Amino acid sequence: MSEIAKGLDLGVHAQVFEVCAAPIWIYDSTFSVNVWGNKAALELFGVDEAGFKASQHDQLGQFSPEQLRLWKKLNAQVHQDVEVEKKDVNVTVTSSEPVPGFLRFDKPKVVLKASYKPIRLKDRTERERDLTLIQVTAQVAPTVEDNQLRLVEMCNNHPMFQFLFDESGKLLAANKRALCNMREHLGSCENYNLQNYLAIGECDGSLGPDEMYKEAMEAIFLLEQPCHRFPQLRWSKRHPGKYRWVLYEMWPSIDPVSQQKAVLVCEQNISQVKALEEQIKKQNQRLEAQLEEALAQRDPVHKPAIDIDTPADKTLKLLDKIMRGHEVSAREAIELRDAIIQAGDLRQPVNFNEQLMKNSQTVLDSEIKEEESEEQAGPGPVHADQDLRHIYARSNVTQDSVKALIAMHKNLPDEVMDVLAKVDDWQFDAFKLNEVSGGRPLSLLSYALLKRCEVADKFQMDDHRLVKFLMRIEDGYPNNPYHNRIHAADVLQSLHVLVVRGGLIGHGYCDEVSLTSCYLSAIIHDFEHKGVNNDYLIRVSDGLAVLYNDRSPMENHHLAASFQLMNSDEYNFLRKMPNKLRETLRKQIIEMVLATDMKQHFAIHSMFQAKMQLNGSVPSGGNGSGGKTMRSSTHTTSQDGLKAIDEDQRSLVLQVALKCADLGHLASPRIVHKKWVQYLEEEFFRQGDREKQNGLTVSPLMDREKNGITKSQVGFFDIVALPLFQSFAQAFQEATPMLDAVKDNYAMWREEAAVYTANANSARSSK
């Protein structure tokens, strides 16, 4: 590179530039090298001629990746703007910045102003070359003390409150206005801190001031977020009865005195912004009301396809609207009154059956469709289906089979371990578990989970009786296409993931007793299922329907038959559990299993939404993590003295969790989910076959000669699945992955429905 300078003819330029007092030199951006410099330039950088002309590539290795990227960008810009396009470019340079043409110089307080200009020189071959002439036009050395005074004045008179706190929340510094505001609210004291300062305001949302403080400090010092923002409502000290909205912005910083981590906090008044938001919100509500009114006038029956809001839901929504200061129209009040008057049950959608019948494009699985109170039966009396009395497989549980399962758990085969390793995943293949377990998916998974979560040891469960009970329950699941032992294992795994990873344990809804209740509820929830729905049992006067007065006959039987086994000495694995805990366990299991009756779906879902909205999604005593923090106590106060969980709310959450798990295959991989739907369709068709044999009207979606549930999944997702999983994920955000998986399968069914509709339309048009 030094040969480049020797080959250039500077001529008169060198004589003129050499006598200049200002540093002047010539830079070649193509080779990243200074080719000539006057004496002042060499003195500026403190190098001799050889060091000055050394390639700047040699110093690039000293730069950080970001500095290197910036240097290359500037060098390309110099080449294009100056040497190619012949433009003048002015720059400001400090010693800490890498700039093309500039060497490092040891003057930390000096700022250089320089100009880049095009210059054309000839080499020895008379070939012209375009280079860059660099001239330092000014050197600025500001007084540090002057700058500090100016900065202090600017900071103190800034309208925004500014604070600097250390990692413990202690105040290190604040501008004048911020300090005056802090004294006004907290009084004079020696040690101000951020937690006390936040406590004088109210939160915007579900977090209290203490939670806001913890979240902010975690975001800055643990998660190292570049910025953390949150609003807060402040009551005015000077004007009682008035309030203002403030916005906190927090950035990680370093205390220049101690060189320790700190946080810079800025507080600004956003009351005007909030007032404008409220004004826009009200205006938007008025526009929506006007639009709704206009649509109603144009089309008097302009309503959603199916209204699944119960009268209780409608009442709560209207009350919430009033509490928020929104206007309620007379028509809304009249519609609510009519809904309450027409409702037979305030927790069920009004005229739901009629809505389904009128909406020809929406079909719903008959497990959740309540039949007409008087069914038109075929000729002659209807008697119980003889085939349903002896469908239960005989149990083949022996001492050897019990010992074999316990031994297998202690030394699991590789293929079993591979499947069980995915038991905490949001998507699971229970069919694969059935395959590798030799047809024992439920008992193997149940025993593994009870041992893994340590509740078997906690409550001193008798290993032999426990395994014998699990295997007996498993044998009690008939070989139905859908409601079989594989389905029970799938529900158990889905509930396990919801509880452990979905936030129930982390937020305090599931202690050790409740976790045991969850596992046992999933295990027995379809024990001795007859392969038909409750409506069928009621219509044929099945013994279970008579025994339980037509109220959830199947679910009552699952419970009664399971507890009869559990109470016998042969299967009583809970003999050492204290009576009070057994009572709690039994109560929770009964409530959870009865909730799986789909006739209660809308009532339970509506109550869940109302409870979680009124009481908050999670209790203040929860840690919000997905990890395990369990206690076996059933007391209603939390360890940290904060508001504890309402037991009714806990019960409702566990019920809805099991309901989600009962539909857990909706979140399975597409191929697995589709297999489950096909098996359920076959089970429905078998019920339809029995209905034909008994001279009954075939239930919707159960006639083999017509479309089954595989053609109605979009409607089922719209009306039942999505609202259920969305409500649960809204209350427990940790369960969002399950909702996302459900949405993926929903998209699949929508795609298939679109193809089916297009093919049908094409077929009709071709006729």
Side-chain angles (χ1 to χ4, degrees), residues 53 111 364 564 698:
K53 294 180 180 179
V111 177
L364 180 62
Q564 284 176 351
V698 179

Side-chain angles (χ1 to χ4, degrees), residues 402-437:
V402 171
K403 293 178 181 178
L405 191 143
I406 295 175
M408 178 189 290
H409 177 263
K410 293 180 179 179
N411 188 21
L412 290 171
D414 291 342
E415 62 271 18
V416 177
M417 288 185 65
D418 290 342
V419 176
L420 291 182
K422 301 176 181 178
V423 74
D424 291 336
D425 293 353
W426 288 105
Q427 293 190 315
F428 188 75
D429 187 355
F431 296 108
K432 184 66 176 177
L433 177 61
N434 180 61
E435 179 185 327
V436 301
S437 66

Side-chain angles (χ1 to χ4, degrees), residues 68-82:
L68 182 60
R69 184 193 66 79
L70 180 60
W71 187 93
K72 290 181 177 180
K73 180 180 178 182
L74 291 173
N75 192 63
Q77 185 178 351
V78 168
H79 178 79
Q80 181 64 30
D81 291 349
V82 180

Side-chain angles (χ1 to χ4, degrees), residues 446-579:
S446 305
Y447 185 63
L449 290 178
L450 288 167
K451 298 295 285 186
R452 171 186 169 184
C453 293
E454 301 178 354
V455 292
D457 296 331
K458 169 70 178 180
F459 298 119
Q460 303 179 56
M461 297 181 187
D462 184 286
D463 256 14
H464 189 84
R465 286 182 170 87
L466 172 61
V467 173
K468 194 171 185 179
F469 171 79
L470 296 175
M471 297 180 76
R472 175 64 186 86
I473 290 292
E474 187 168 40
D475 287 344
Y477 277 86
N479 293 322
N480 298 317
Y482 180 83
H483 290 100
N484 51 44
R485 61 179 65 185
I486 307 176
H487 165 69
D490 185 63
V491 173
L492 174 60
Q493 188 275 337
S494 297
L495 185 58
H496 164 74
V497 177
L498 273 178
V499 169
V500 175
R501 295 187 62 192
L504 272 67
I505 289 179
H507 291 301
Y509 281 96
C510 204
D511 55 22
E512 290 167 321
V513 175
S514 298
L515 181 62
T516 308
S517 301
C518 287
Y519 286 159
L520 292 178
S521 297
I523 291 166
I524 71 169
H525 86 282
D526 277 332
F527 179 56
E528 295 187 345
H529 196 287
K530 293 193 173 188
V532 294
N533 61 18
N534 284 330
D535 285 329
Y536 181 86
L537 298 180
I538 294 169
R539 291 161 67 196
V540 301
S541 298
D542 184 87
L544 294 182
V546 175
L547 178 63
Y548 297 110
N549 301 310
D550 296 347
R551 295 184 178 180
S552 304
M554 201 79 267
E555 289 72 26
N556 274 299
H557 175 70
H558 303 325
L559 287 162
S562 300
F563 276 113
Q564 284 176 351
L565 279 178
M566 203 181 303
N567 289 339
S568 66
D569 182 69
E570 185 178 2
Y571 300 104
N572 187 4
F573 59 91
L574 293 173
R575 292 182 302 168
K576 296 184 179 180
M577 176 179 276
N579 289 336

